[in-house]
Amino acid sequence: MGAWFGWLGIILVPLLLLAAIAAVPVRARAQLSRHEGDDNLSLQVKTLFGLLKFNWEIPMMKLGGKGLQVEELARADSPSLLHTESDVKKDIGPSRIAELLQDAWKLLRRTENLTGLVRRLLNKVEISRWTWRTTIGAGDAVWTAMATGAAWSLQTTALGLLSQLCRLNAQPQMEVRPDYRAARLETSFDCIAEIRLGNAILAGLQLLVRMMRTEGGVRLWQNILFKA
């Protein structure tokens, strides 16, 4: 009897440990702000109770002669050995945007049911914060009113699309304020999303299988993602 319980413990303990790890949430927070001409975009992802963290930031975005000039900062941290950091500057023009769209369409067309996989993954995502506040002015009362309506339509459409794809567990906070005194555009966006680590790992394995079945295989994905 004692040996039987011993073998039962050997089997159950790893299973319980895997189940506990699968239930751990992966938390992602996206923030976008534009204030007095300064644009900032950041994404923070953490899991395993903060043991694994990743931060991606665009602290500088400005329009230049060749298009949008972007400075990217990426950092991965953990209390153990993992610590990487990179600083990249890019120029994103119309040709670069067209190239990215073409690459995305290539992956979508060649990968088996990629949209279905993404939709099933998004159905597991829970939104615990959705805050979006915008102040807009066009320097003219009529144009400001039209711009305000367009901005409000954009925000409500984005929220409606999100609620169809994900689980919205938070009370959305949205606001669009017109400024009839001057031409300006300021916005502040903050979103927190969570997914169970087990669901994310399962989706990753399913994607890997589809990548291997794709014409060009994993190398095609590597070439496109590294080029991006």
Side-chain angles (χ1 to χ4, degrees):
M1 181 67 69
W4 187 83
F5 276 110
W7 281 107
L8 184 61
I10 292 175
I11 296 174
L12 286 180
V13 169
L15 291 178
L16 292 175
L17 181 60
L18 289 176
I21 293 177
V24 170
V26 179
R27 188 178 188 228
R29 183 174 187 177
Q31 294 177 293
L32 170 66
S33 66
R34 176 179 176 83
H35 180 67
E36 296 182 353
D38 293 329
D39 300 303
N40 293 277
L41 174 64
S42 67
L43 175 65
Q44 302 95 33
V45 181
K46 65 179 181 179
T47 187
L48 295 177
F49 308 104
L51 294 178
L52 291 179
K53 300 179 183 179
F54 176 79
N55 294 286
W56 178 72
E57 298 180 48
I58 296 184
M60 183 275 291
M61 292 185 290
K62 65 179 181 179
L63 289 174
K66 298 181 180 180
L68 183 64
Q69 297 178 343
V70 174
E71 179 183 358
E72 295 183 13
L73 300 176
R75 185 175 69 255
D77 296 292
S78 78
S80 58
L81 299 179
L82 179 61
H83 179 85
T84 60
E85 187 170 352
S86 63
D87 186 349
V88 180
K89 294 183 179 180
K90 297 181 180 180
D91 290 327
I92 303 178
S95 60
R96 179 58 177 158
I97 295 176
E99 184 180 357
L100 291 174
L101 291 175
Q102 184 178 7
D103 290 339
W105 172 247
K106 184 185 299 183
L107 292 178
L108 184 63
R109 181 168 51 89
R110 294 189 181 183
T111 306
E112 177 189 353
N113 196 21
L114 182 58
T115 55
L117 177 61
V118 172
R119 178 178 286 274
R120 286 194 298 272
L121 178 63
L122 290 177
N123 286 336
K124 305 293 185 180
V125 175
E126 299 181 0
I127 305 298
S128 58
R129 177 179 297 178
W130 180 272
T131 303
W132 196 351
R133 295 184 173 89
T134 301
T135 300
I136 190 168
D140 177 83
V142 176
W143 285 105
T144 296
M146 294 177 61
T148 300
W152 183 254
S153 177
L154 173 64
Q155 293 188 187
T156 54
T157 300
L159 178 61
L161 179 62
L162 180 79
S163 63
Q164 294 295 322
L165 297 175
C166 306
R167 301 177 183 177
L168 190 59
N169 295 336
Q171 180 66 35
Q173 300 180 19
M174 297 197 301
E175 182 182 12
V176 179
R177 293 176 294 182
D179 185 350
Y180 296 102
R181 298 171 299 176
R184 60 184 291 204
L185 174 60
E186 295 185 356
T187 190
S188 175
F189 174 76
D190 189 3
C191 176
I192 296 179
E194 291 186 358
I195 185 173
R196 299 299 178 186
L197 183 59
N199 292 327
I201 293 176
L202 179 60
L205 293 176
Q206 292 174 337
L207 177 59
L208 180 60
V209 172
R210 285 168 169 77
M211 289 167 59
M212 297 175 66
R213 295 176 179 174
T214 302
E215 180 184 353
V218 179
R219 185 176 297 275
L220 173 66
W221 277 77
Q222 290 177 335
N223 293 337
I224 290 178
L225 293 179
F226 286 144
K227 183 174 64 174

